[in-house]
Structures are given as C-alpha cells and as structure tokens.
Amino acid sequence: GDSVTQMEGPVTLSEEAFLTINCTYTATGYPSLFWYVQYPGEGLQLLLKATKADDKGSNKGFEATYRKETTSFHLEKGSVQVSDSAVYFCALIRDNTGKLIFGQGTTLQVKP
Amino acid sequence: DAGVIQSPRHEVTEMGQEVTLRCKPISGHDYLFWYRQTMMRGLELLIYFNNNVPIDDSGMPEDRFSAKMPNASFSTLKIQPSEPRDSAVYFCASSFLGRTGTEAFFGQGTRLTVV
C-alpha cells in the first residue's frame, strides 16, 4: 500500500543553520505531495505542496521538490529560526482515492 | 469560513464510559478524515468519508470505535466503552478533491484522556 517515510527525529539545530528533513514515499500512480507543520498544542497546517514531478513547493523560506525518480520530497530551509521549532509531517494523496497518508513526523528544535 | 471545528477540545472520562467526538468540516468539502495522534504511534488515519459515505475504515482499531457522517456538515467518532489506551489527540480534517493536490484542513483536535 501507499506509505510515507521520514527521517527520525528530533533534529536539533542552531539558529540560522541549514535544514533538511528527508521524506520518501511509496505509491502507485501520481500522488500529490505535501508538507504540514504542527506547532505545540495546535492542529496541522499546510506548509507547502507539489502536484507533479519536478514541481517545487515553497513557503516561508521552506522548499521541497517532487522527485519522481527517487520518490522523494525533502524539506529544506536555508536559515532556520527559533520560531520554526515544530513537528513536520510529509504526506501524500493519490488523486483517484482522496486518501491522505502521513509520515511519522519529525520534530525540529531550533536553539538560539 | 471558520475552518474545521471540533468539539470538545478536551475530554476526560472514566474507563468504560462512552465518548463522542464531533466535527464540522469546511462547507463544500467532500472528504472528511479522522486521525489519532499519540507519541508512540504518531498520526494514524482511522477512517475517511467521501460525500458522507465511509470509504476506508481499515484504521479503526477495534469494534469499540465507530464513526458516522449523517450529513455533509457533521461527523462523529464514538468510543464505547473507552479504555485508558484510547487516550490521544483526535483530529478531524476535510478537503475538496475537485482537482489534484487540494490540501486537507485540520481542526484543532480533541485531547482525550481516559482514566
């Protein structure tokens, strides 16, 4: 079945460091890919998305590129801030089912 | 639109009691999802509906759990009888799949504690 795998956390970085959170997926067909962010005590919010191969999603300085050849959608940010501390979830939807599947989440801690 | 609305935000109940969680999706959305989040298991999809019809309930842990969607603006997740291991945050989300890539919107969640 469809699945999403993320790198284990927590990831601890100093402010202004470069961030990469790896995400790979398994799915038949052509899924759409998403990154969601969850701040403490809140629900999940969409961070960015990409709907087809080679698309790049971006928002708030975060970027991710849909790589069909490596079935990956890695999240990157050039300079993290303390306010970026949260849990990040990679997810996919196969457009013929509507089923939204999440990875296990990666906790990011940014220290001043 | 006020977004996806869940109630209650917090629920504390005794083992063996019935618990009902409620969700109002965003108007016009045709998919509704129920997720459970725990430290040990992460975010698990329990069940999802399309146009009020359950499509996949394979994530429902056991017969104590049931979900309904009587109309496009309301869904419930019921646990009867509740057990301490059901303690978790339960999220409802909705989406409109009119075109590829439409994202799901999440409610604030219901934090359930079964003592």
Side-chain angles (χ1 to χ4, degrees):
Chain A
D2 299 344
S3 66
V4 177
T5 302
Q6 296 179 229
M7 63 187 289
E8 293 278 340
V11 174
T12 302
L13 296 174
S14 298
E15 206 164 23
E16 299 184 1
F18 185 85
L19 168 71
T20 300
I21 300 178
N22 291 338
C23 170
T24 57
Y25 68 90
T26 301
T28 56
Y30 301 94
S32 296
L33 303 175
F34 306 84
W35 276 101
Y36 281 80
V37 59
Q38 183 181 31
Y39 298 103
E42 298 186 9
L44 280 72
Q45 305 171 28
L46 179 71
L47 181 59
L48 53 84
K49 66 181 181 182
T51 60
K52 60 183 186 297
D54 300 325
D55 267 4
K56 177 185 283 188
S58 61
N59 185 28
K60 300 180 180 179
F62 291 90
E63 293 183 338
T65 301
Y66 189 149
R67 301 285 189 201
K68 191 164 179 62
E69 64 276 14
T70 55
T71 63
S72 65
F73 192 54
H74 304 322
L75 182 68
E76 296 182 336
K77 186 175 185 181
S79 176
V80 294
Q81 306 300 312
V82 172
S83 58
D84 294 327
S85 298
V87 182
Y88 293 81
F89 292 90
C90 186
L92 69 83
I93 289 179
R94 264 202 296 136
D95 56 2
N96 60 336
T97 68
K99 187 173 183 178
L100 177 60
I101 298 170
F102 284 88
Q104 65 270 40
T106 302
T107 299
L108 171 65
Q109 299 173 340
V110 181
K111 297 186 175 180
Chain B
D1 200 315
V4 177
I5 299 173
Q6 291 186 246
S7 64
R9 289 293 309 276
H10 302 274
E11 176 80 35
V12 180
T13 190
E14 291 186 347
M15 182 174 61
Q17 296 297 304
E18 177 180 296
V19 176
T20 299
L21 311 181
R22 298 173 176 78
C23 176
K24 176 179 168 53
I26 292 173
S27 177
H29 282 190
D30 55 356
Y31 281 84
L32 184 138
F33 306 84
W34 281 101
Y35 291 88
R36 177 172 69 176
Q37 186 177 35
T38 61
M39 289 293 292
M40 291 297 295
R41 301 175 69 92
L43 196 61
E44 303 171 275
L45 176 62
L46 301 178
I47 185 171
Y48 77 103
F49 297 82
N50 176 220
N51 293 322
N52 313 337
V53 176
I55 302 300
D56 185 347
D57 65 354
S58 60
M60 296 285 263
E62 49 198 276
D63 292 345
R64 298 184 297 107
F65 286 70
S66 62
K68 294 182 180 179
M69 192 164 186
N71 57 62
S73 59
F74 184 65
S75 177
T76 60
L77 178 68
K78 185 177 294 186
I79 308 172
Q80 166 63 18
S82 58
E83 297 182 3
R85 60 193 169 121
D86 302 330
S87 297
V89 180
Y90 291 81
F91 287 104
C92 175
S94 71
S95 69
F96 175 63
L97 212 67
R99 60 187 187 280
T100 300
T102 302
E103 67 270 24
F105 294 82
F106 279 74
Q108 293 286 75
T110 295
R111 181 173 295 277
L112 173 65
T113 303
V114 183
V115 298

